[in-house]
Amino acid sequence: MATALAKAADAESVDHAARIEHVSKSFTGPAGRQLVLDDITLDVAPGEFVTLLGASGCGKSTLLNLVAGLDEPSAGSITTHGRPALMFQEHALFPWLTAGKNIELALKLRGVPKSDRRGRAEELLELVRLKGAHGKRVHELSGGMRQRVAMARALAQDSRLLLMDEPFAALDAITRDVLHDELTRIWQETGVSVLFVTHNVREAVRLAQRVVLLSSRPGRVAREWRVDIPQPRRIEDAPVAELSLEITEVLRGEIRRHGQH
Ligand SMILES: Nc1ncnc2c1ncn2[C@@H]1O[C@H](COP(=O)(O)OP(=O)(O)OP(=O)(O)O)[C@@H](O)[C@H]1O
Ligand SMILES: [Mg+2]
């Protein structure tokens, strides 16, 4: 089904990897109805890298979950071509399987024949620079290595769109730096579209071609920036730092306006 969809999309030469049109989302809780996302319109172009930036609780994960199809918008529509791949802060690997078998499972679910799975898993491990780790158990891997395996598993789904929800937030700064480089390289090598959620301004600027800032309560697209700084960037590069400062100022204004801290 997903393959048929992807093929149909190929045939009409798609101009977006995700199209979010006038999307709103409310939740009903003990305190009544809460409008979390209000009239979000946003496209991710094929091959584009977009970061979604905003304060804690502004609705970033809610929006990503809607794009992933894990939940339904209250209003508006979302289209993606084929099923997006997802990666979270927690690696969500199966601890009883080896690194390689975790990837092979994703290949199996995608319908890759058994005889091709091992070879493809090895290739994906090589892509995330974990050659030789096929037989390693999850508990034998460092946090950074686990996120590499999680990345390989997401790529195993062969989606056109990779949705990432703060995937490096739990890592130390140096490991995160290395994984930023790896993600940039993989994005360039594979041509996959990426929608990456973070509340870290520098991370957003380090990675993206476009940074979209969400306001809080309710989440709306407050502003966006095109980032033309050549890749690979370093988080401490002067242009990255400069743009990060500018965005941080706007983000601070948003947070003040909504009485959050
Ligand atoms: N399933 C749900 N039911 C009720 N409320 C929810 C649900 N999911 C999210 N919310 C509420 O929606 C708001 C946005 O949450 P969300 O997790 O999307 O924020 P976020 O921007 O991802 O925050 P963080 O940066 O801390 O991860 C919060 O007020 C949260 O309590
Ligand atoms: Mg979140």
Side-chain angles (χ1 to χ4, degrees):
M1 183 75 173
T3 320
L5 265 175
K7 278 193 184 133
D10 274 339
E12 52 188 63
S13 94
V14 172
D15 64 348
H16 61 272
R19 173 155 287 171
I20 302 165
E21 287 179 295
H22 301 294
V23 162
S24 298
K25 180 71 182 172
S26 305
F27 292 109
T28 308
R33 201 169 158 82
Q34 181 197 3
L35 180 64
V36 172
L37 296 173
D38 185 23
D39 197 19
I40 308 268
T41 292
L42 172 69
D43 267 11
V44 180
E48 191 180 23
F49 198 127
V50 177
T51 51
L52 201 58
L53 177 71
S56 184
C58 77
K60 302 180 297 294
S61 296
T62 301
L63 183 58
L64 213 69
N65 290 343
L66 293 176
V67 178
L70 298 176
D71 201 355
E72 294 278 315
S74 310
S77 68
I78 297 180
T79 46
T80 60
H81 293 281
R83 184 183 281 276
L86 262 173
M87 192 179 154
F88 301 102
Q89 183 171 330
E90 295 303 325
H91 56 76
L93 298 169
F94 295 119
W96 59 89
L97 294 178
T98 61
K101 290 290 179 194
N102 266 283
I103 298 168
E104 287 185 36
L105 180 61
L107 293 169
K108 181 181 177 180
L109 293 173
R110 204 186 99 206
V112 173
K114 193 166 196 297
S115 54
D116 296 346
R117 284 181 216 149
R118 172 79 194 219
R120 184 68 191 124
E122 303 274 6
E123 281 171 20
L124 285 162
L125 283 168
E126 206 169 330
L127 182 67
V128 297
R129 296 200 214 264
L130 276 183
K131 196 164 182 252
H134 190 286
K136 289 257 194 282
R137 299 245 161 215
V138 173
H139 72 264
E140 295 179 85
L141 304 172
S142 67
M145 289 164 91
R146 289 176 193 175
Q147 289 309 76
R148 283 172 194 262
V149 177
M151 214 183 317
R153 189 182 55 175
L155 292 166
Q157 295 173 42
D158 206 25
S159 301
R160 293 155 163 265
L161 177 63
L162 185 54
L163 303 175
M164 306 182 91
D165 195 351
E166 313 216 33
F168 309 138
L171 303 175
D172 65 85
I174 293 170
T175 307
R176 194 183 313 144
D177 251 13
V178 173
L179 284 175
H180 285 159
D181 290 345
E182 302 291 18
L183 176 59
T184 299
R185 176 182 58 81
I186 289 166
W187 164 64
Q188 287 173 330
E189 278 179 27
T190 60
V192 70
S193 317
V194 184
L195 185 55
F196 186 106
V197 160
T198 181
H199 57 250
N200 181 324
V201 181
R202 284 196 174 210
E203 177 171 63
V205 175
R206 158 68 188 84
L207 292 170
Q209 291 176 300
R210 196 149 57 93
V211 176
V212 177
L213 179 67
L214 282 191
S215 64
S216 302
R217 296 181 187 181
R220 296 190 177 119
V221 175
R223 230 171 112 175
E224 60 175 76
W225 289 262
R226 198 155 273 293
V227 189
D228 290 324
I229 307 161
Q231 290 281 16
R233 304 166 191 154
R234 302 229 60 92
I235 215 154
E236 62 277 2
D237 285 347
V240 172
E242 232 168 78
L243 181 56
S244 299
L245 268 179
E246 182 189 326
I247 295 176
T248 302
E249 275 309 303
V250 179
L251 180 58
R252 281 215 185 99
E254 280 299 324
I255 292 171
R256 270 198 301 269
R257 224 153 54 81
H258 295 277
Q260 288 192 332
H261 48 269

